[in-house]
Amino acid sequence: MVAEEKNNQASGINSNGVIVLKNLTKKFGEKLVLDDISLSIEKGKTTVIIGPSGCGKTVLLKHLIVLLRPTSGDVYLDQQRIDNLNEDELNQVRTRYGFLFQGGALFDSISVFENIIFPITQHYKITDWGEIDALVKNKLSMVGLDGFQNFYPAKLSGGEKKRVALARAIALNPELILYDEPTTGLDPIRSDVINELILKLQKELGITSVVVTHDMTSAYKIADRIIMLHKGKILADGDADYIRNHPHPVVQQFIHGQIDDEDLLILQSGETTSPSQFVSQNSKK
Amino acid sequence: MTVTNAINGLDNLGQFARFVFRSIAASVESCRKSATYPLIWAQMNIIGVHSVPIVMVTGAFVGMILAIQAYDQLAAFGAEEHLGVLINISVVKELGPVLAAVMLAGRIGGALTAELGTMKVTEQIDAIKSMGTDPVKYLVAPRVLACLLLTPFLIIFADLLGIIGGYFVSVIHLGINSRAYWTFSASGVELWDVAIGVIKGFFFGAAIAAISCYKGFTCKEGAHGVGQACTEAFVASFISILALDFALAVFFKAIYNTFWPIKALI
Ligand SMILES: Nc1ncnc2c1ncn2[C@@H]1O[C@H](COP(=O)(O)OP(=O)(O)O)[C@@H](O)[C@H]1O
Ligand SMILES: [Mg+2]
């Protein structure tokens, strides 16, 4: 079975992907987070990365835009190696990307409007403010938040922050968008709005997306390909049907949101004490 | 254990040196691009203007305390009229600059580290990078420039209030003749002394900003990480201010000794 996965992976590594990772390993100190990962992200497709919390999804996503540099291994963008560029060169490359951060990462000292125009002001000299107003209005209505221009991030809910952050990530019309848990913290209907938006951006503008998520509904809906990370390695890699029917128990447990048998045993064997029992055993202060 | 500590220490120092180098390069570049002036201006407002009152209070107390403490010593051998020289030299050359800088390390340094540290842990610094902007240029350069340019002015304010504070206590409280106080002060304090104090301000300001921004940028996760970074930034700034003060004292003394003999010729 392991051999099968290897084959599947090997076929995934055609060097004509937009972003290609070759033998990428990332350690923080002694801690191994990504272990010899090779991956090719195809142009115009939506690749979804799933896996339990803390398995290194965010770390992997940040390597695709070299916000983190690999401990070993290479990152290529359009056949050009980018992990060894200096920061100035990288900043040129990064304008081709949009990145939606897990917590939104809005600048909290400036308004929603200023957040969205930030990438524009950094790379263009603005002469026509009318055009900018229209652009911000357009991006905000795409995420269903037109009218929030003058709000400050502190006044927004978690889901709203994330949607404003998405509007900011697409402000420069990037060709590649990396989403870190775009639907986490959103209600099911809002989640579906984001799913539709991701699909729309892909279909109409041919944008390449990489989406990190553990929302399987969203994954099945948007994915051309799903990759499951586990213990720093790629455990499964294929389309939605392939993943749904994947024989590996860890994959099945994850996609069905089931607890591990051993963990279940520990939970069931432990006695639960009711609050009144607790109080009776401990004298009150 | 001590070996790894030493290696970590050197590693940090190396990283800090690289950070300082990049900050200097970014600051020089910012000076030449008028687009960044509004950012520098905003920081000058936050850093400089709002620090004026606290720095003035610091200066005033330094002058007043010096007057009270030094009076008895001088009066013991009937030299109390020289009090002005002692107070004013101490204020403009050492205590004004150093205490104002320490005050600023607490006020500005703490705020800078907390602000940048929070931005770091909430991924805002990564967000700046992801949009193709260099956070050192966008965040660090304006802060370093604002600190570097305004600390000398703040020191002048501290000096001024120190001199006034010393004067009030000496003349009004301790009853020293006002004319004598100023005459002795004027003969004892040279422009050179004032200049040294102000020049130190550039170094102190740059050190405070660079250290605080570095600590913010390398802040660890969570509220605890930010708190720890603030503490470390203050301690490091404080030690650097004293170390720089010592180094500059040695340096300026050497310059003074070299040029003093030929001063008469000029
Ligand atoms: N900057 C960092 N320094 C040290 N450890 C980190 C850093 N970033 C992430 N990690 C560790 O890497 C692991 C994977 O993190 P992450 O990619 O954020 O997980 P997730 O899959 O939930 O997104 C975690 O154990 C985390 O503690
Ligand atoms: Mg994550």
Side-chain angles (χ1 to χ4, degrees), chain A residues 107-117 148-153 164:
Chain A
F107 305 130
D108 36 32
S109 55
I110 56 180
S111 69
V112 165
F113 180 83
E114 291 166 312
N115 263 284
I116 294 174
I117 65 167
F148 282 64
Q149 275 87 336
N150 294 324
F151 280 56
Y152 277 80
V164 172

Side-chain angles (χ1 to χ4, degrees), chain A residues 52-59 102 180-181 212 214, chain B residues 123:
Chain A
S53 292
C55 72
K57 303 185 296 295
T58 301
V59 171
Q102 198 166 346
D180 197 350
E181 304 197 6
V212 158
H214 33 222
Chain B
E123 296 183 307

Side-chain angles (χ1 to χ4, degrees), chain A residues 62 65 67 87-88 91 94 97 99 101-103 105-108 118-119 122-123 168, chain B residues 22 29 115 118-119 122-135 137-138:
Chain A
K62 284 188 177 172
I65 183 175
L67 283 174
E87 286 294 317
D88 280 337
N91 282 330
R94 284 175 184 145
Y97 291 80
F99 196 119
F101 287 84
Q102 198 166 346
L106 293 178
F107 305 130
D108 36 32
F118 179 87
Q122 292 301 304
H123 300 287
R168 183 179 68 179
Chain B
R22 279 179 57 202
E29 203 187 315
E115 185 189 8
T118 307
M119 290 185 78
T122 55
E123 296 183 307
Q124 291 178 51
I125 291 181
D126 270 349
I128 292 176
K129 284 193 199 170
S130 79
M131 289 181 272
T133 296
D134 182 356
K137 273 182 209 148
Y138 182 72

